[in-house]
Amino acid sequence: MKNIRNFCIIAHIDHGKSTLADRLLEFTKTVEGKDLQAQVLDNMDLERERGITIKSHAIQMEYIYEGEKYTLNLIDTPGHVDFSYEVSRSIAACEGALLVVDAAQGIQAQTISNVYMAIEHDLQIIPILNKIDLESAMPDEVEDQIVQLLGTPREEIIRASGKTGVGIEEILRAIIERVPAPQGDPDAPLQALIFDSVFNSFRGIIAYFKIVNGTIRTGDLVKFINTGKEYEADEVGILRLNMVPCEEVGCGNVGYIISGIKTSKEVKVGDTITHVKRPATKSIEGFEEVKPMVFAGVYPIESEEFENLRASLEKLQLNDASLTFQPESSIALGFGFRCGFLGLLHMEIVQERLEREFNMDVITTVPNVSYRVYDKKGNMKEVHNPSGLPDPTLIERIEEPFIRASVITNTTYIGPIMTLCLGKRGLLIKQEYISGDRVEIIYDLPLGEIVIDFYDKLKSISKGYASFDYHMHDYRPSKLVKLDILLNGEPVDALSTLTHSDNAQSFGRRMCEKLKELIPRQQFDIAIQAAIGAKIIARETVKAVRKDVTAKCYGGDISRKRKLLEKQKEGKKRMKQVGNVEVPQKAFLAVLKLD
């Protein structure tokens, strides 16, 4: 055990984690020859296309240092805030963390929140200044920021470049010398923490674990403590570029188990594996419960695909534990699921993964939050969907959820951030300076204002220098109205939203304008209207596509032309009665990006 090191790589998005991981794998000869490519660990097509890491990936390396062989378990983590749940799970399985900071960009918001997460778990942090080969690098200034944030001596900061391979040997030396070996008792009852799982259509569910105490062998009878289910370990092994089966996985090590589990409900990330014969008395402290930020309905395009969609979501949930869902139904779209996501990027990725990995064609509705509606008799009803709202005459008041949000930023951006929060109906609670030019602003904000585009706007006005964290605070009465979108007089319930009465007019107008661009022209006029109850507040018209029926009349009597035009008019009228308007999927997503 003294020669095992478990560590993860944490950083802000695009600071070069995956490139650095590539160099470490190359240097320890874990990956050679034809397997060498950029972003070795990012094995999803989506990750390669977008150049981001979505999943944490574990891989084991071997390195000989001063004549001794060391086993290094590396977990590469995502940098985007929408996947911070992945990072928290990786941190729970490690004793050390490489904190990568881009020498050209300096410390950014996500770096700070990841550092706090690592410090909470008592990880040994090794600061690394990456991309020092860039012309725009400012190594000395960024080192000052790191010293201020972590309080580490300057000489402990390693200057490296993931691209050219500078400093890689120094990093490996630091991992062996500074990261503590895992603590644990190989002879105690087995306790292994599941930090990830994946569905394989041939082998069932594969769970990845880190052993805290004890040893696991092939053929052992094991039990999952939280679900109480028992299995036989058909195969255990370690994670190299591919899975490598072995007879036993020892204490402190990271590995995988295949036990022919077919139903996804039986494996929970954060659960503990133990032996049936010599069980551990308690499970390991898992991860905190995930809090979805954004709720949206996900519906299959073909209604008979509902059960397939359920199975696909369950399999996806295995691999992405931050996804939550429950069944719901809609008038326009039939049966589907109400899903909870950590943010808009997360929602986009889940939708893409459903399409690519499970061949599911889905429609996603406008994201929203849940409200409490009190009627005149004082009864309370929770409404997740605007279509579930009772008649306005019966409503006494609507209460919406408020969050207590904390924004940490540079003093330069205080003005724009306050303007943004006030525009979202925020109430300033307090503002305090943390250090030098860093300030924490605490606001109470309505959750409904945040789900669509708040985070994206915050990032753009602060150039990525603001970190945003929140927790549910309470419910407060608000003047909310239900805004309906009508196409040719028919309401489209998937586009209905609950919005504050002050914003309803401008929101309705922008929505109509956006839909006008996106709905394809038909053979008849399409009226797009935004309405509150029976009152129309905005309207746009998509003009009909007309054939020039009079083209063949050259000269001649006007009555001939009029006869053709009248005939065309009749046809258009008949068509409008039977025609219906298909709303393209793009329209549902465009509503999110209205500004």
Side-chain angles (χ1 to χ4, degrees):
M1 254 177 84
K2 69 177 183 19
N3 286 8
I4 295 178
R5 300 285 182 273
N6 299 321
F7 67 98
C8 57
I9 303 184
I10 53 177
H12 191 83
I13 189 165
D14 210 19
H15 278 204
K17 295 173 297 301
S18 300
T19 315
L20 198 70
D22 289 352
R23 289 297 84 73
L24 289 170
L25 295 175
E26 190 181 343
F27 197 86
T28 55
K29 299 195 167 42
T30 310
V31 179
E32 321 185 73
K34 67 176 195 309
D35 292 328
L36 262 180
Q37 50 174 338
Q39 292 175 267
V40 175
L41 294 178
D42 294 349
N43 50 14
M44 240 189 275
D45 292 343
L46 255 180
E47 293 179 310
R48 298 188 159 282
E49 284 166 25
R50 290 174 177 241
I52 57 175
T53 306
I54 294 167
K55 286 289 304 160
S56 299
H57 297 279
I59 191 165
Q60 192 175 94
M61 307 181 280
E62 282 177 354
Y63 184 59
I64 292 166
Y65 176 68
E66 292 182 353
E68 280 195 65
K69 189 161 136 189
Y70 286 86
T71 301
L72 311 177
N73 288 310
L74 150 72
I75 303 180
D76 179 24
T77 63
H80 197 283
V81 67
D82 279 13
F83 307 111
S84 55
Y85 190 63
E86 288 285 327
V87 183
S88 75
R89 293 178 358 212
S90 308
I91 285 177
C94 293
E95 283 83 36
L98 301 184
L99 175 73
V100 180
V101 181
D102 185 330
Q105 295 183 49
I107 285 183
Q108 306 223 330
Q110 205 48 37
T111 316
I112 297 168
S113 49
N114 284 341
V115 165
Y116 289 153
M117 216 189 290
I119 292 171
E120 271 170 36
H121 285 79
D122 293 331
L123 263 62
Q124 176 65 42
I125 296 172
I126 301 174
I128 293 168
L129 202 57
N130 193 22
K131 305 195 186 179
I132 56 160
D133 56 316
L134 290 182
E135 283 178 19
S136 56
M138 318 171 287
D140 298 333
E141 291 158 43
V142 179
E143 269 185 10
D144 291 341
Q145 294 178 6
I146 297 175
V147 170
Q148 196 178 357
L149 176 72
L150 290 174
T152 49
R154 236 172 216 287
E155 54 277 8
E156 284 191 10
I157 301 170
I158 300 170
R159 294 190 177 192
S161 161
K163 201 175 194 174
T164 58
V166 176
I168 298 296
E169 210 163 334
E170 214 179 318
I171 293 172
L172 287 163
R173 190 180 323 126
I175 291 166
I176 289 167
E177 288 173 1
R178 294 194 223 165
V179 175
Q183 302 295 314
D185 181 357
D187 303 320
L190 173 69
Q191 274 185 312
L193 175 75
I194 300 179
F195 65 86
D196 204 357
S197 56
V198 56
F199 184 81
N200 181 312
S201 44
F202 301 108
R203 319 228 26 202
I205 291 160
I206 304 167
Y208 299 149
F209 59 77
K210 183 215 174 177
I211 298 185
V212 179
N213 290 313
T215 310
I216 190 167
R217 294 178 180 80
T218 306
D220 280 355
L221 262 176
V222 295
K223 175 176 154 188
F224 287 27
I225 293 183
N226 287 352
T227 54
K229 299 274 202 240
E230 297 180 3
Y231 308 100
E232 189 176 322
D234 298 336
E235 184 183 304
V236 296
I238 54 170
L239 299 156
R240 285 292 173 82
L241 194 55
N242 299 314
M243 295 183 293
V244 180
C246 50
E247 278 305 303
E248 65 170 56
V249 180
C251 186
N253 218 335
V254 173
Y256 70 91
I257 176 171
I258 299 177
S259 45
I261 307 170
K262 291 286 185 284
T263 38
S264 41
K265 286 195 182 72
E266 294 175 21
V267 179
K268 293 226 177 343
V269 166
D271 202 348
T272 306
I273 306 174
T274 187
H275 281 129
V276 173
K277 288 182 180 148
R278 250 183 92 203
T281 46
K282 62 179 192 354
S283 58
I284 306 162
E285 288 296 303
F287 321 102
E288 72 266 20
E289 271 298 295
V290 54
K291 336 171 260 204
M293 290 264 208
V294 176
F295 293 93
V298 173
Y299 292 86
I301 287 178
E302 303 292 333
S303 50
E304 56 269 18
E305 292 282 302
F306 175 72
E307 280 306 322
N308 292 352
L309 180 61
R310 183 198 295 272
S312 305
L313 281 168
E314 281 177 359
K315 288 172 189 169
L316 194 55
Q317 197 177 30
L318 271 179
N319 200 239
D320 181 356
S322 48
L323 171 68
T324 56
F325 63 91
Q326 61 199 52
E328 71 162 5
S329 63
S330 134
I331 306 162
L333 301 168
F335 291 103
F337 293 92
R338 174 158 205 76
C339 298
F341 307 99
L342 294 185
L344 283 184
L345 177 69
H346 185 211
M347 175 171 141
E348 221 172 288
I349 296 292
V350 166
Q351 200 181 328
E352 286 239 353
R353 286 186 70 182
L354 280 172
E355 280 177 21
R356 290 179 184 216
E357 294 172 31
F358 304 101
N359 291 329
M360 294 300 310
D361 283 335
V362 292
I363 289 180
T364 316
T365 64
V366 181
N368 51 19
V369 295
S370 57
Y371 297 90
R372 289 179 178 170
V373 179
Y374 290 85
D375 62 15
K376 297 271 165 64
K377 295 174 184 162
N379 302 324
M380 192 271 286
K381 177 185 176 187
E382 279 225 344
V383 173
H384 299 290
N385 207 327
S387 57
L389 211 61
D391 192 86
T393 53
L394 306 173
I395 297 173
E396 175 70 31
R397 68 179 190 280
I398 301 177
E399 291 187 355
E400 65 175 331
F402 267 71
I403 59 171
R404 176 65 54 90
S406 134
V407 178
I408 299 175
T409 181
N410 195 304
T411 44
T412 329
Y413 306 112
I414 294 180
I417 288 174
M418 285 189 160
T419 313
L420 172 70
C421 293
L422 289 170
K424 297 285 186 189
R425 299 188 285 130
L427 303 166
L428 178 65
I429 304 299
K430 68 172 178 183
Q431 162 182 350
E432 55 185 326
Y433 287 83
I434 305 169
S435 68
D437 58 353
R438 304 196 70 74
V439 63
E440 180 177 28
I441 312 171
I442 293 178
Y443 263 95
D444 277 0
L445 288 154
L447 186 56
E449 293 280 348
I450 280 179
V451 295
I452 293 190
D453 56 0
F454 177 81
Y455 195 72
D456 295 343
K457 283 187 176 169
L458 179 71
K459 278 195 300 226
S460 57
I461 60 174
S462 67
K463 300 189 172 61
Y465 271 101
S467 69
F468 172 67
D469 191 31
Y470 83 103
H471 58 266
M472 275 301 299
H473 193 55
D474 56 6
Y475 279 80
R476 301 180 191 178
S478 276
K479 248 177 85 181
L480 296 169
V481 290
K482 179 184 173 191
L483 182 73
D484 285 315
I485 297 292
L486 312 174
L487 292 181
N488 280 346
E490 291 292 317
V492 182
D493 71 339
L495 288 173
S496 314
T497 46
L498 274 175
T499 179
H500 196 265
S501 55
D502 297 350
N503 306 340
Q505 189 107 23
S506 64
F507 185 69
R509 189 171 298 120
R510 291 206 312 268
M511 215 141 142
C512 289
E513 284 163 7
K514 193 77 194 172
L515 286 169
K516 184 183 177 182
E517 292 168 25
L518 290 165
I519 290 176
R521 289 172 69 184
Q522 308 286 342
Q523 301 269 357
F524 50 90
D525 283 2
I526 303 169
I528 304 168
Q529 295 164 312
I532 297 171
K535 182 182 171 196
I536 305 291
I537 55 168
R539 166 176 174 142
E540 292 286 335
T541 310
V542 178
K543 281 293 180 198
V545 182
R546 284 188 56 206
K547 182 182 170 190
D548 188 359
V549 284
T550 57
K552 59 177 189 256
C553 301
Y554 185 70
D557 190 24
I558 185 72
S559 59
R560 284 180 62 202
K561 290 184 183 174
R562 186 154 300 134
K563 186 173 145 194
L564 288 167
L565 288 168
E566 287 296 325
K567 194 173 169 189
Q568 185 186 31
K569 196 167 155 189
E570 282 298 309
K572 296 267 181 227
K573 194 171 162 190
R574 197 165 56 245
M575 210 180 275
K576 189 168 183 171
Q577 286 165 353
V578 296
N580 61 351
V581 186
E582 290 273 315
V583 183
Q585 166 67 12
K586 281 202 301 241
F588 293 110
L589 286 176
V591 177
L592 321 182
K593 303 193 175 77
L594 270 181
D595 297 315

